[in-house]
């Protein structure tokens, strides 16, 4: 669903714009959880989960493409595999940390404790977005991306 939107925007405005857009959607979806938890709205929770997932999909599309054009072309595959290897680490450590910190059995009847978790996640996304903003990422033109896709270098 996000491909027809994020792809043309990345081609038109570049990778840094897409990274900021993905992080922004991610943070927006996470902060949208707060009112959904207050009113116990399951449809609202589905919407905020969709917005969060859309931001992550947009971010991954932009970051993976951006990783391939940064640096030496012969090391692009290594950079991409190294970056993606952190997904496995997070999928193992994430549930362990979540289970020990904010998913304790005493809070099973209320969502108040999860509101603060989603607020923290949203603020973390905003901080990362701000850090990418002040980092002044190098922009790569469309020609370089088309050459990489066409030739593989």
């Amino acid at each position: 669903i996000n491909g027809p939107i994020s792809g043309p925007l990345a081609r038109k405005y570049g990778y840094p714009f897409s990274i900021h857009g993905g992080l922004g959607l991610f943070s927006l979806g996470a902060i949208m959880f707060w009112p959904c938890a207050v009113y116990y709205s399951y449809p609202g929770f589905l919407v905020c989960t969709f917005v969060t997932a859309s931001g992550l999909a947009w971010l991954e599309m932009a970051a993976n493409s951006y990783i391939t054009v940064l640096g030496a072309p012969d090391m692009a595959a290594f950079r991409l595999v190294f970056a993606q290897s952190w997904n496995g680490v997070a999928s193992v450590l994430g549930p362990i940390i979540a289970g020990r910190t904010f998913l304790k059995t005493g809070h099973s009847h209320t969502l108040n404790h999860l509101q603060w978790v989603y607020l923290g996640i949203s603020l973390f996304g905003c901080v990362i977005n701000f850090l990418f903003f002040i980092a002044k990422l190098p922009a790569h033109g469309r020609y370089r991306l088309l050459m990489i896709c066409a030739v593989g270098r």
Side-chain angles (χ1 to χ4, degrees):
I1 292 177
N2 294 309
I5 298 168
S6 63
L9 287 174
R11 282 191 295 275
K12 185 173 183 178
Y13 297 109
Y15 298 121
F17 171 81
S18 296
I19 290 172
H20 293 304
L23 284 168
L25 273 177
F26 169 74
S27 298
L28 178 67
I31 199 67
M32 285 171 50
F33 179 78
W34 191 282
C36 297
V38 169
Y39 296 109
Y40 293 98
S41 171
Y42 182 69
F45 175 72
L46 291 178
V47 169
C48 73
T49 301
F50 177 77
V51 172
T52 301
S54 298
L56 290 176
W58 194 1
L59 176 64
E60 188 161 352
M61 178 277 308
N64 286 348
S65 301
Y66 194 55
I67 286 170
T68 60
V69 298
L70 290 176
D74 59 331
M75 295 297 291
F78 172 77
R79 289 190 304 273
L80 187 58
V81 169
F82 179 73
Q84 290 298 313
S85 68
W86 293 102
N87 286 341
V89 172
S91 67
V92 170
L93 294 180
I96 293 170
I97 294 170
R100 293 186 181 191
T101 56
F102 54 84
L103 293 179
K104 298 189 180 198
T105 58
H107 300 290
S108 61
H109 61 283
T110 181
L111 297 174
N112 292 342
H113 63 288
L114 288 179
Q115 290 173 317
W116 295 103
V117 172
Y118 275 84
L119 177 65
I121 290 171
S122 178
L123 291 176
F124 179 74
C126 290
V127 167
I128 296 297
N129 203 356
F130 177 73
L131 292 176
F132 271 108
F133 179 74
I134 62 173
K136 301 296 181 197
L137 301 174
H140 284 277
R142 184 174 179 206
Y143 176 76
R144 171 117 167 103
L145 175 63
L146 292 175
M147 290 303 295
I148 288 172
C149 293
V151 193
R153 296 179 187 207

